[in-house]
């Protein structure tokens, strides 16, 4: 007999657009990087067309790895996203089936289907596949695409309301008819003659079986025809066994034991009723799990008042364009983000920042959409509209986080993939074992049905996503935005927190406190030289120097040839003289002698002030000292981090003495000072090399490399855009206590996920053998399918209810 060789999978060919290439060496870098990826047979780059062609073995590599490698090399592959609500899923096996259907399409980078949120998030290569094909793949798998792309909260709410209403009708009908089936034989003998009792019960059970329970047949058929199995298969098999066995006894009594044999219409009807009850409670609980998202979505007003062609008109908020002048009256919500051009008012920003006190707004200030104008009238120019507003960005990030899977979910996904087939096999084994033991057909059939019904893949499927939905929603309510479910899990494992100093521990608004003239120019002259150079800088220290010059009435001319020296200082030409301002390290590198001011600088640093040396034409002119105020909650936040068992470090480009003075005030012993941006990156990497799980908290451009390097990057929301983009969490408020809250929510969420998975596994590990009769007669009650159905329905509800506890985290 010849041994059949395993069919080898055909290689996959893919072409994708890649941006960021500037020369032929870029193309060579991509080819070399992809060539090192296991499973890649060939990679060729067309630099002129910005195209990369890849051939790989699907068993060893995938598009996600290819795209990830290109990104790691510093280039931007053109990958688009498709988001949709998916209807018809009843358990974790359903979401796995939809994922398989999507992943079979060419050009799919990753497909993530969240059973709890009923949403699919797909990353794909537009040259290879499109939304139409993805939608059809979902439909062919037996499910429905309810909404594509960004569904409005009103449409989602209406759709959920329709689904819940239809479920309630079927639930009510099945419970009423099931109740009649149970009680008529006991109390209705005078109404229905004994000879016709089975026919009456058949008439009551049939609409329950094939109308109320039709969703289970439909789902089972769709899954079986696509080579998979889910909860619907178990319920359809279990209830059909009881129903058709009873129908056979009713119409062909000689088949199973002759006249007088028991019928089990009550079993089939009440199983469907109890499972629909569980589904109804589950749907309501899942709705509560996403309440935070609904509240966020409802913050945005529906209309805006804009000025066009000299006329003020009211338009839908989606019609507001960049550049429109928006009028805002007292009590109204800002429809979009923009810059105030006239008027003054107090604005309530608590929905974003959590701060109860209103913020004064004047021309030049920024207004954020969904914040409430309190006192005066404002006019502002729309700068960010639609998906670009801050609120839309927060909603988008929260949605992505709620749809993403945590690594801990992978175990549940693997189990769900083999769960239903294993249960079916167990049910047949139980049936056969009891038949061989001489228990009789009826008893064996009840064991078979009980095993099918008590098994609950739903609890496994809901354990992780519901907790993530509630956890990320709770975070959003507190102004903490997680970028994914994996971030929640990693956040729970952080043991070391690294804090930037300026703008993170401190206010980030330094003030000039001392001016030391060492050259005889005079204090004003020293300040003038510094201010001239700093006029072109965006650094907080530069603003402090300019504010000091303004306060003294000094008019500083703009320096020529300005050059920013990140981590060191700045330089430029002022009145024909080369002026350099910065650290002592900068002066030393430029060969300037600062010994004459070294003692004074050291004295300033010892009290937490930062000394800036000012030199003119290679000669030290003076020293300017700046000091930054520590944020009110920084010391408390550091104490709370330590109470959580976290090691706290301060990382700064400031000099050692000044850094330690600030660290001492907030209770930090571990200080890494005098580091440039790349030094911050290396410092984080050094801590990771010690086996630490590191979170980096920062707000500046110079923090971006370290934020990206850390296991968890936490960006202060008031900081630079590049820092926010490099981070895994964003804090809307600039309060270090929110860092503590973020890690507390992460820990609580992971704890709830573990509890959910534990109970889901334990329920099935214990419940299935007991339903099979392993310990009969001690636990004989679980051999009653109705009891099994009630236990199965409540297991899913208990998991979701446990997740809902996070709403008070």
């Amino acid at each position: 007999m010849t041994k059949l060789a395993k069919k080898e999978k055909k290689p996959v060919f893919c072409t994708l657009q890649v941006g960021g290439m500037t020369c032929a060496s870029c193309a060579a870098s991509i080819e070399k990087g992809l060539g090192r990826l296991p499973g890649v047979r060939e990679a060729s780059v067309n630099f002129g067309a910005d195209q990369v062609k890849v051939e790989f073995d699907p068993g060893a590599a995938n598009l996600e790895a290819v795209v990830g490698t290109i990104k790691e090399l510093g280039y931007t592959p053109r990958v688009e996203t498709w988001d949709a609500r998916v209807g018809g899923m009843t358990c974790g096996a359903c979401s796995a089936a939809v994922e398989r259907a999507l992943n079979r399409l060419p050009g799919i980078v990753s497909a993530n289907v969240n059973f709890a949120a009923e949403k699919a998030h797909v990353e794909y290569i537009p040259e290879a596949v499109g939304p139409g094909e993805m939608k059809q793949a979902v439909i062919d798998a037996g499910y429905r695409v309810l909404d594509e792309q960004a569904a409005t909260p009103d449409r989602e709410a209406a759709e959920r309301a329709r689904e819940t209403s239809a479920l309630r009708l079927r639930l009510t009908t099945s419970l009423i008819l099931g109740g009649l089936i149970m009680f008529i034989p006991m109390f209705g003998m005078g109404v229905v003659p004994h000879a016709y009792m089975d026919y009456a019960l058949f008439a009551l059970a049939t609409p329950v079986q094939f109308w109320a329970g039709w969703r289970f047949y439909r789902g089972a058929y769709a899954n079986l025809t696509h080579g998979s199995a889910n909860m619907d298969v178990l319920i359809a098999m279990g209830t059909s066994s009881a129903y058709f066995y009873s129908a056979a006894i009713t119409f062909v009594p000689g088949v199973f034991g002759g006249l007088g044999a028991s019928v089990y219409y009550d079993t089939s009807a009440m199983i469907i009723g109890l499972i629909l009850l569980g589904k109804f409670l589950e749907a309501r609980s899942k709705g509560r799990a996403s309440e935070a998202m609904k509240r966020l979505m409802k913050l945005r007003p529906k209309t805006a008042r804009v000025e066009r062609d000299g006329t003020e008109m009211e338009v839908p908020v989606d019609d507001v364009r960049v550049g429109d002048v928006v009028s805002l009256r007292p009590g109204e919500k800002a429809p979009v983000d923009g810059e105030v051009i006239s008027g003054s008012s107090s604005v309530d920003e608590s929905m974003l920042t959590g701060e109860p006190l209103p913020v004064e707004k004047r021309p030049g200030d920024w207004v954020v959409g969904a914040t409430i104008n309190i006192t005066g009238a404002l006019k502002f120019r729309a700068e960010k509209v639609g998906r670009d507003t801050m609120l839309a960005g927060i909603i988008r990030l929260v949605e992505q986080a709620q749809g993403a899977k945590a690594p801990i979910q992978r175990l549940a996904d693997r189990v769900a993939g083999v769960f239903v087939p294993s249960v079916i096999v167990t049910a047949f084994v139980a049936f056969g074992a009891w038949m061989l033991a001489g228990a009789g057909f009826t008893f064996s059939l009840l064991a078979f049905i009980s095993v099918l019904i008590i098994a609950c893949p739903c609890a496994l499927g809901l354990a992780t996503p519901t907790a993530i939905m509630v956890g990320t929603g709770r975070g959003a309510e507190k102004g903490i935005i997680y970028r994914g479910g994996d971030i929640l899990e990693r956040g729970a494992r952080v043991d070391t927190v690294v804090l930037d100093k300026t703008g993170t521990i401190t206010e980030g608004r330094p003030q000039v406190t001392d001016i030391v003239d060492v050259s005889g120019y005079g204090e004003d002259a020293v300040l003038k030289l510094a201010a001239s150079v700093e006029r072109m800088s965006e650094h907080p220290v530069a603003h402090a120097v300019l504010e000091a010059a303004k306060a003294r009435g000094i008019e500083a001319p703009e320096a020529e040839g300005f050059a920013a020296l990140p981590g060191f200082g700045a330089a430029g030409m002022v009145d024909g003289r080369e002026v350099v301002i910065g650290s002592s390290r900068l002066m030393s590198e430029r060969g300037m002698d600062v010994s004459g001011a070294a003692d004074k600088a050291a004295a300033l640093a010892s009290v937490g002030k930062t000394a800036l040396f000012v030199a003119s034409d290679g000669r030290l002119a003076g020293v300017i000292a700046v000091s930054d105020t520590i944020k009110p909650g920084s010391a408390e936040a550091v104490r709370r981090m330590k109470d959580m068992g976290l090691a706290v470090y301060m990382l700064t480009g400031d000099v050692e003495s000044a850094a330690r003075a600030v660290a001492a005030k907030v209770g930090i012993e571990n200080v890494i000072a005098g580091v440039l941006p790349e030094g911050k990156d290396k410092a984080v990497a050094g801590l990771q090399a010690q086996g630490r799980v590191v979170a980096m908290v920062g707000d500046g451009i110079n923090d971006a490399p370290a934020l990206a390097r850390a296991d968890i990057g936490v960006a202060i929301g008031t900081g630079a855009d590049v820092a926010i983009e490099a981070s895994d969490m964003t804090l809307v408020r600039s309060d270090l206590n929110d860092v503590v809250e973020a890690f507390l929510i992460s820990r609580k969420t992971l704890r709830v996920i573990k509890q959910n998975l534990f109970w889901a596994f334990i329920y099935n590990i214990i419940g299935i053998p007991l339903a099979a009769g392993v310990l009969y007669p001690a636990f004989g009650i679980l051999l009653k399918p109705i009891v099994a159905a009630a236990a199965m329905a409540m297991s899913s509800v208990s998991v979701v209810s446990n997740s809902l506890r996070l709403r008070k985290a």
Side-chain angles (χ1 to χ4, degrees), residues 303-373:
T303 61
R305 194 178 298 102
V306 301
E307 293 181 4
R308 290 178 184 167
D309 301 324
T311 305
E312 188 173 280
M313 62 182 69
E314 194 169 281
V315 298
V317 71
D318 291 330
D319 291 345
V320 178
R321 302 189 292 260
V322 173
D324 278 341
V325 174
V326 182
S327 297
L328 202 59
R329 296 172 182 170
E332 292 181 336
K333 288 183 179 180
V336 294
D337 300 356
E339 184 179 341
V340 177
I341 57 175
S342 67
S344 62
S345 180
S346 297
V347 175
D348 179 1
E349 296 184 339
S350 59
M351 50 73 62
L352 283 176
T353 66
E355 295 290 350
L357 295 177
V359 180
E360 295 297 320
K361 299 292 181 181
R362 293 180 176 82
D365 290 335
W366 191 259
V367 174
V368 178
T371 56
I372 303 171
N373 183 31

Side-chain angles (χ1 to χ4, degrees), residues 480 482 487-488 490-494 496-497 641 644 646 694-697 712 714 729 737-749:
I480 302 162
Y482 301 89
I487 306 303
L488 271 167
R490 266 190 281 152
R493 296 195 167 101
V494 165
T496 303
V497 179
M641 289 179 198
M644 291 172 65
L646 299 170
V694 180
M696 170 69 193
V697 186
I712 295 288
V714 184
M729 294 182 199
N737 278 288
D738 285 350
V739 177
V740 180
E741 292 297 324
F743 293 136
L744 284 174
I745 290 174
S746 291
R747 290 185 177 186
K748 290 176 183 177
T749 301

Side-chain angles (χ1 to χ4, degrees), residues 11-138:
V12 174
F13 299 86
C14 184
T15 301
L16 62 159
Q17 296 293 122
V18 175
M21 293 189 290
T22 57
C23 61
S25 63
C26 296
S29 175
I30 293 175
E31 288 180 353
K32 187 176 180 181
L34 290 176
R36 288 196 296 262
L37 194 65
V40 172
R41 295 185 176 187
E42 184 180 355
S44 61
V45 180
N46 185 329
F47 169 56
D50 288 337
Q51 282 187 345
V52 176
K53 294 184 178 180
V54 187
E55 178 187 349
F56 60 87
D57 295 321
N62 54 39
L63 271 177
E64 189 170 11
V66 170
V67 169
T69 299
I70 294 173
K71 287 181 178 178
E72 287 173 6
L73 292 169
Y75 304 96
T76 52
R78 186 189 170 202
V79 176
E80 296 186 0
T81 59
W82 180 72
D83 294 286
R85 278 195 66 220
V86 179
M89 296 190 294
T90 57
C91 67
C94 295
S95 59
V98 178
E99 283 183 359
R100 284 195 299 272
L102 289 167
N103 281 317
R104 278 195 288 264
L105 295 173
I108 298 296
V109 176
S110 66
N112 184 7
V113 181
N114 188 314
F115 164 50
E118 296 180 332
K119 289 183 179 179
H121 176 74
V122 184
E123 292 185 344
Y124 67 97
I125 297 171
E127 290 81 13
V129 69
E133 295 156 283
M134 290 183 277
K135 182 177 181 179
Q136 192 59 48
V138 174

Side-chain angles (χ1 to χ4, degrees), residues 497-537:
V497 179
V498 178
L499 304 174
D500 172 49
K501 180 175 76 72
T502 305
T504 302
I505 295 175
T506 65
E507 293 285 2
R509 293 191 294 273
Q511 295 179 332
V512 172
T513 58
D514 302 85
I515 302 174
V516 181
D517 173 28
V518 298
S519 62
Y521 289 163
E523 290 185 3
D524 285 1
V526 172
L527 184 57
K528 181 178 179 179
L529 290 174
S532 295
V533 174
E534 298 288 26
R535 279 188 62 179
M536 300 293 291
S537 175

Side-chain angles (χ1 to χ4, degrees), residues 169-186:
L169 177 61
R170 282 169 169 75
L171 166 63
T172 304
T173 303
S174 60
L175 290 179
I176 291 173
L177 294 179
L180 290 173
I181 292 169
M182 291 183 70
F183 291 111
I184 282 178
M186 291 184 286

Side-chain angles (χ1 to χ4, degrees), residues 90 209 212-221 230-233 235-236 239 271-273 275-276 279:
T90 57
Q209 189 71 32
W214 179 248
R215 57 183 287 159
F216 304 120
Y217 283 106
R218 184 182 61 216
Y221 174 79
N230 67 345
M231 185 196 79
D232 293 331
V233 174
I235 297 171
T239 58
I271 284 173
I272 290 173
I275 291 173
L276 288 178
K279 285 291 169 189

Side-chain angles (χ1 to χ4, degrees), residues 397-681:
L397 287 172
V398 175
E399 282 182 330
Q400 290 171 4
Q402 291 188 339
K405 290 184 178 179
I408 197 172
Q409 191 175 345
R410 291 172 188 154
L411 174 62
D413 288 344
R414 287 197 295 270
V415 172
V418 297
F419 183 84
V420 175
S422 301
V423 170
I424 293 172
V425 170
T426 303
F428 277 109
V429 168
F431 177 83
W434 281 113
M435 285 291 289
L436 292 173
F441 181 84
T442 300
F443 186 92
S444 302
L445 180 65
L446 291 177
F448 173 81
I449 296 171
S450 295
V451 169
L452 292 176
I453 297 303
I454 203 169
C456 188
C458 300
L460 287 172
L462 290 167
T464 300
T466 52
I468 288 174
M469 284 175 67
V470 182
T472 52
R474 182 60 176 154
E477 288 180 333
K478 292 189 171 188
I480 302 162
I481 312 302
Y482 301 89
R483 286 184 178 265
D486 57 326
I487 306 303
L488 271 167
E489 183 174 338
R490 266 190 281 152
R493 296 195 167 101
V494 165
D495 56 30
T496 303
V497 179
V498 178
L499 304 174
D500 172 49
K501 180 175 76 72
T502 305
T504 302
I505 295 175
T506 65
E507 293 285 2
R509 293 191 294 273
Q511 295 179 332
V512 172
T513 58
D514 302 85
I515 302 174
V516 181
D517 173 28
V518 298
S519 62
Y521 289 163
E523 290 185 3
D524 285 1
V526 172
L527 184 57
K528 181 178 179 179
L529 290 174
S532 295
V533 174
E534 298 288 26
R535 279 188 62 179
M536 300 293 291
S537 175
E538 291 296 323
H539 196 280
V541 170
H543 289 289
V545 172
L546 291 172
E547 286 296 319
K550 183 179 178 181
R552 292 191 178 208
I554 297 172
E555 292 186 11
E558 188 174 302
E560 297 177 358
F562 171 81
L565 309 170
F568 289 110
M573 299 297 294
V574 181
D575 296 331
R577 292 182 289 176
E578 184 187 29
V579 177
V580 180
I581 178 171
S583 64
S584 60
R585 181 178 174 183
L586 174 61
M587 299 298 161
S588 298
E589 289 194 358
R590 298 228 169 182
M592 299 177 197
D593 182 16
V594 297
S595 58
D599 290 343
K600 184 62 177 177
L604 293 169
S606 67
V607 292
K609 297 179 181 180
T610 300
L612 303 173
F613 293 86
V614 182
S616 174
D617 281 340
R619 184 165 163 262
L620 186 64
V623 178
I624 296 175
V626 295
S627 179
D628 195 1
T629 307
I630 295 173
K631 292 179 181 177
S634 293
E636 179 192 1
V638 170
R639 179 188 56 76
R640 292 176 67 193
M641 289 179 198
K642 290 181 176 180
D643 290 344
M644 291 172 65
L646 299 170
V648 184
Y649 284 72
M650 188 173 82
L651 186 60
T652 178
D654 209 345
V655 296
E656 180 92 12
S657 53
R660 288 202 174 275
V662 172
K665 292 178 182 178
V666 295
I668 297 177
E669 295 82 23
N670 306 304
V671 179
I672 304 172
V675 289
L676 301 176
E678 58 268 26
K680 291 187 176 185
D681 180 34

